[in-house]
Each structure stands twice: as C-alpha cells, then as structure tokens.
Amino acid sequence: MNRATPVTSANLPPARTVDEHIHRRRWAILGVLVISLLVVVLDNSILNVAIKTIADPEKGLGATQSELQWAINSYTLVFAGLLFTAGILGDRFGRKRTLLFGMVIFGLASLLSAYSQNPGQLIAARAVMGFGGAFVMPATLSIISNVFEPQERPKAIGIWSGAVGLAIAIGPITGGVLLDHFWWGSVFLINVPIVLVGIVAMLLLVPDSRDPKPGRLDPIGVALSIAGLVSLVYGIIRGGDAGWGSVEVLGTIVLGLLILGFFVWFEKRSDHPALDVKFFRDPAFSAAAGAIGLVFFALMGVTFFMAFYLQSVRGYTPLQTGLLLLPLAIAQLMFSARSSVMVKRFGVRAVTTGGMLVVGLSFLSFLWMDRTSPIWILCVVFFFQGAGMAHVMPPATNSIMSSLPREKAGAGSAVSNTVRQVGGALGVAILGSVLSSVYRDRISDDLDKLPPNVPKGPAGDSVEATLAVAGRLGDKGAALVDPAKDGFIEAMHAASIGSAVVGLIGAVVVFLWMPRREAGQTAPEADRVETSAEEQRSAKV
C-alpha cells in the first residue's frame, strides 16, 4: 500500500517573509520605483544635450565653460557626498519617507533650474537637485529588498538596473526633442509632472519599512562620511579640469582619503556604527562593490568621449547621437532581468566575470573606429556593452543586498550607489584627462601655424575648441579641421585602452574574490541530486 509522501522541509515552499498584501502588488511597486529612478538618472543625460544651448547668450544663459562644468558637477558633488548618509537615514526613519522627501526636493529644484535667470542660480538649483536625488536612488533599491522575496529579488534588481541603462540612453533623445520645440529650461521642467505622478503613486502603493532596531545615531560617522566623500569627489572633478599635478587637486583627494580612512577606523571601534565595516570582510559584498565601481569607471569614461566622437568628428546631431546609444539600452533591458537565470545556472562568479570580459573587450573594439567606420559597427559594439553590463550590474548589486540583513538594506544600497557614483566620476575625470593630454600633444604642431593673434592654449583644449577656432578663421582655419579630427581619434583610442584595462581588471577582481555562488544558492546538479535522494527516501516509506 502506497503511502502519501511525507511533508518535509525539502518539499515545502520557502516561508514568505513579506506581508501577503504587499506581496500581491510587488510588481506595481517596482514600476513606481523605476519611475522615480528614471527621473533622477534621466536628468543628467538630458543636461549633456542642453549644454551648448545654455551657453548661448541669446537662447540660453550665456554660461562660460567653467559655469557649465559646475552646473553638472554641483549635482554630482552633493549627490555622491550624501548617498551614504541618505541610505542610513532611510533605514532609521523609513525608506518611503526618505523617498518621498527626495522626490519633493528634486521636483522643486527642477522647477527652480528651469526658470534660472543666470548661471549662478542654475548651479545652486542643480546642487539642490543632487540633494534630492541622493535620497531617491538608495531608497528605491532598499525598498525592493524589503518588498521582494529572496528568490524573486534578483529579477527585480535586474529590472531596476535595466532602468538605469534605459535612462542613460533615452536622455539625449528626450533632450533633443525638447530643445527642438521648446526653450532650454524644458529639459528640467519635464521632471515636474513625472515627479508629481510618482509621488501620488508612492502614497498609494509603496509600503514603508525601516530597521526595527536602529540603535543610537552616529553623527560623527555620518559627518566623516560626508566630509570624506565630498573632498574626494571634489578633488576628482577638479583633477579633470585643473590637472592632476595641482596642489588643490592632490590636497583635496589626499584629504578625502585620510578622512575616509579615519571614518573606517572610527566605525570599527564604535558600538553603534553608521556603517558596520565588517560587511567588507564578506567577499560577496566587497568584490561586488569593486565590480560596480570599475564597470562604471570604464563606462562613464567611454560615454564622455563618445559624445564628442559622434557629434564633433562624425557630425551627428544630439538627437541622432541619442538614437545611436539605443542598442546599449535595448541590450540592458533584454538581459538585465534574465541575468538571474544565468546566475542560477552558472553561478554569480562565472556570470559577472564573463560580463566584465565582454565589457572590457568591447572597449578595445573602439581601436578600429575611425572617421569613416560604418556606424552599424558602433551600434553592435554598444549592444555588446549593454549585454555585458546586464550580466554585471544586477548580479553584483544583488550580491551586495543579499549579503546584508534586510533591515540594513539602506546601508547596502548606499554603498552600491556610492561606489557607482565615485567610479563614474573617476572615469570621466581620469579618462577625460587622458583624452585631453593626448589630443593636446597631437594637435600642438598644427596650432603653432595659427596667426599670432589667435590664443593657442584654449584652441587646443578639446576638439570642439579647435573646430570653433577653425570656424572663426574661415578659409585660413580649414587646414585645422582634419588634424583636429584625426587627433581626437588618436586620443579616443588611448582612452579606449584605459577603459578596456579597467574593465579587464574588474574581471580579475570578481574571478578571484567573488564567491562562486550566492548565499543559499546551490548548483542545479546538487538540486537534482537532493530531489532524487528525497524521492528515493519517500519511495521506501
């Protein structure tokens, strides 16, 4: 007589740790979080398209090159400096509250940016936008960790990561369309209705969560983290402008590193640390954080010089440039949510290592790009870059979040987003410096032939500056056009090698230190053996 298979822990579904009401609307909640993430990431890529218009004295604000840089950098500086603190405050006071707070500030600052009357007002408003954005991004990821069960969380984080890539790609397209029909402030004003819709949806759908045992506040640790990150990021930003040998640059970078070193020392000895630095002893946490920083270092550096290659050298409009970036976004959307399937089958180490190799090798392919290369080749390269990133960012982010208790999700999200931002800033600053240095050396002989009344220093700052001088000189400047474009191609190749090296270093880092599989994950073969053994035991009963 056959007996019923006994109920054991092996054949029971995993216990649900999320409230049933929240579990049923988890995908709607994810949609709301993606909207809030899109508006923050989208804003930066839109601004890159509007820079030339804002510099125009008639159509824009007549901003100088330095003022334009700070319109971008004021956001980055405040955003990166406060990311960690915002994540900690979300754990303590409620992630939904901090998300709503950040969205309100971001929306109001967008309105102020749109109607700025001079560059100084725009720079200040952008800094306030960075303040609001710092409370939005870590809150979205930490809410995902508290809404989704562990088995579904990798897919949700994959969708979240894909949204970042989508925003980066559609930003220039959106900006190009807006600038074709409206004034420059429309690139900021577009944020306001999106923010309003997002806030209403959050109030209706998104649940609140927090650390049930937050302990005492750590104001000294929080202050040290802000001071260290702001000093470090400021030095990195200035390094791209003033040169890496500047006393100001070296001084602020060293000061930032010293403060962050003291922060780690202080947190290790505190009985109520803002960040438990013991988390970094876990290879799944530290190697994943390193991978995220390195891949964004390489990616943001390439994105920086690609805009010049497509617009200044190849002659594409900002809108066309944005459309050419779509393959990168499409690949991320296609593969990010599916990366969890690959991780389940092959393990997190194999998937992230493979992804970093694809990213690194795709950067090397730029060495074959010149002034007349078929543009479809670039689209293919962008697609592979997006596919590679889709197999790095979601698994690495999930590895960080899975390494921490759910109540510390804000801290984990803050670390993930901070290394992403610092890595991106480093990529733009360092690879941008490589680009400028090689270009300046390559074009110097041709600039010596300019008339004595034309300043050679500013003309050699960038390919845009050289082509602008050539345009003002008319027929006399025509001889500068080809050397300028050829010089930029040579500089782009040098920066591409730098990006590829960083990407391949990332592959080595994850291969050596990333655990083969995530916590609680077993190989498919082991699952089958376990199931088979259980069936045999049941058959004998």
Side-chain angles (χ1 to χ4, degrees), residues 157-237:
I157 289 177
I159 295 171
W160 181 89
S161 297
V164 175
L166 176 66
I168 291 172
I170 66 174
I173 300 172
T174 307
V177 171
L178 288 171
L179 291 173
D180 280 348
H181 297 87
F182 305 102
W183 96 114
W184 66 268
S186 62
V187 300
F188 299 111
L189 196 62
I190 190 67
N191 296 335
V192 178
I194 301 175
V195 166
L196 290 174
V197 170
I199 289 173
V200 172
M202 286 172 204
L203 290 170
L204 295 175
L205 290 172
V206 177
D208 203 3
S209 61
R210 67 182 73 191
D211 186 348
K213 298 178 181 178
R216 288 186 293 151
L217 280 172
D218 179 21
I220 297 177
V222 168
L224 287 172
S225 70
I226 294 174
L229 285 170
V230 167
S231 180
L232 176 64
V233 174
Y234 177 82
I236 292 168
I237 289 171

Side-chain angles (χ1 to χ4, degrees), residues 16 29 39 94 125 145 155 183 202 209 226 316 355 425 469 489 526:
R16 182 164 295 162
I29 294 169
V39 72
S145 293
K155 183 178 180 180
W183 96 114
M202 286 172 204
S209 61
I226 294 174
Y316 290 101
V469 169
I489 294 293

Side-chain angles (χ1 to χ4, degrees), residues 29-102:
I29 294 169
L30 178 63
V32 175
L33 298 177
V34 165
I35 290 173
S36 62
L37 178 69
L38 275 174
V39 72
V40 173
V41 180
L42 189 72
D43 178 75
N44 271 336
S45 52
I46 284 182
L47 179 60
N48 291 332
V49 176
I51 283 176
K52 288 186 178 180
T53 307
I54 295 172
D56 191 304
E58 296 180 4
K59 297 181 179 180
L61 299 176
T64 65
Q65 183 67 26
S66 176
E67 288 168 337
L68 288 172
Q69 288 172 339
W70 277 109
I72 297 172
N73 293 337
S74 61
Y75 179 95
T76 303
L77 190 64
V78 176
F79 183 76
L82 288 176
L83 270 173
F84 174 74
T85 300
I88 297 297
L89 293 176
D91 283 344
R92 171 172 287 274
F93 297 110
R95 290 141 192 153
K96 179 178 179 177
R97 290 183 181 182
T98 56
L99 178 58
L100 287 168
F101 172 76

Side-chain angles (χ1 to χ4, degrees), residues 94-446:
R95 290 141 192 153
K96 179 178 179 177
R97 290 183 181 182
T98 56
L99 178 58
L100 287 168
F101 172 76
M103 288 290 280
V104 169
I105 297 298
F106 191 87
L108 290 173
S110 297
L111 194 63
L112 292 174
S113 296
Y115 292 100
S116 296
Q117 300 300 306
N118 56 63
Q121 290 181 7
L122 179 61
I123 292 169
R126 287 279 298 163
V128 179
M129 287 179 70
F131 181 87
F135 283 85
V136 172
M137 186 168 274
T140 59
L141 187 54
S142 55
I143 289 173
I144 287 173
S145 293
N146 280 270
V147 166
F148 285 87
E149 299 287 356
Q151 60 269 26
E152 284 188 323
R153 193 182 301 149
K155 183 178 180 180
I157 289 177
I159 295 171
W160 181 89
S161 297
V164 175
L166 176 66
I168 291 172
I170 66 174
I173 300 172
T174 307
V177 171
L178 288 171
L179 291 173
D180 280 348
H181 297 87
F182 305 102
W183 96 114
W184 66 268
S186 62
V187 300
F188 299 111
L189 196 62
I190 190 67
N191 296 335
V192 178
I194 301 175
V195 166
L196 290 174
V197 170
I199 289 173
V200 172
M202 286 172 204
L203 290 170
L204 295 175
L205 290 172
V206 177
D208 203 3
S209 61
R210 67 182 73 191
D211 186 348
K213 298 178 181 178
R216 288 186 293 151
L217 280 172
D218 179 21
I220 297 177
V222 168
L224 287 172
S225 70
I226 294 174
L229 285 170
V230 167
S231 180
L232 176 64
V233 174
Y234 177 82
I236 292 168
I237 289 171
R238 288 295 295 153
D241 301 334
W244 296 96
S246 163
V247 174
E248 177 192 10
V249 169
L250 292 176
T252 50
I253 288 177
V254 170
L255 177 62
L257 292 173
L258 288 174
I259 294 173
L260 291 174
F262 182 70
F263 166 72
V264 172
W265 178 88
F266 181 84
E267 295 297 278
K268 286 176 68 175
R269 285 153 181 77
S270 174
D271 58 357
H272 54 287
L275 173 66
D276 190 346
V277 293
K278 294 176 184 175
F279 292 149
F280 287 95
R281 295 178 184 173
D282 185 348
F285 185 93
S286 53
I292 290 171
L294 289 169
V295 78
F296 260 78
F297 178 102
L299 179 77
M300 295 307 292
V302 166
T303 305
F304 175 75
F305 67 68
M306 262 302 116
F308 291 104
Y309 171 71
L310 290 171
Q311 295 182 51
S312 301
V313 176
R314 300 299 297 264
Y316 290 101
T317 66
L319 179 57
Q320 291 170 329
T321 299
L323 290 171
L324 288 171
L325 285 169
L326 273 180
L328 188 148
I330 291 169
Q332 288 208 42
L333 287 174
M334 286 175 59
F335 295 109
S336 287
R338 298 285 300 169
S339 63
S340 59
V341 177
M342 300 293 288
V343 169
K344 188 174 182 181
R345 183 170 183 179
F346 299 107
V348 66
R349 181 201 293 172
V351 172
T352 50
T353 301
M356 289 296 293
L357 285 172
V358 171
V359 170
L361 293 174
S362 69
F363 292 140
L364 283 179
S365 64
F366 288 125
L367 295 176
W368 285 271
M369 300 299 296
D370 55 30
R371 292 171 58 184
T372 58
S373 299
I375 205 65
W376 66 264
I377 296 177
L378 185 64
C379 293
V380 172
V381 172
F382 281 153
F383 184 85
F384 276 97
Q385 280 186 359
M389 283 193 67
H391 288 89
V392 175
M393 299 304 298
T397 303
N398 186 60
S399 186
I400 289 176
M401 302 307 292
S402 300
S403 302
L404 304 179
R406 181 173 281 181
E407 60 270 17
K408 299 295 182 184
S413 176
V415 170
S416 171
N417 286 296
T418 299
V419 296
R420 182 197 308 255
Q421 196 68 24
V422 172
L426 276 168
V428 172
I430 294 176
L431 295 179
S433 294
V434 171
L435 191 78
S436 299
S437 176
V438 174
Y439 177 77
R440 198 176 295 114
D441 290 342
R442 178 67 173 74
I443 199 70
S444 59
D445 291 341
D446 296 280

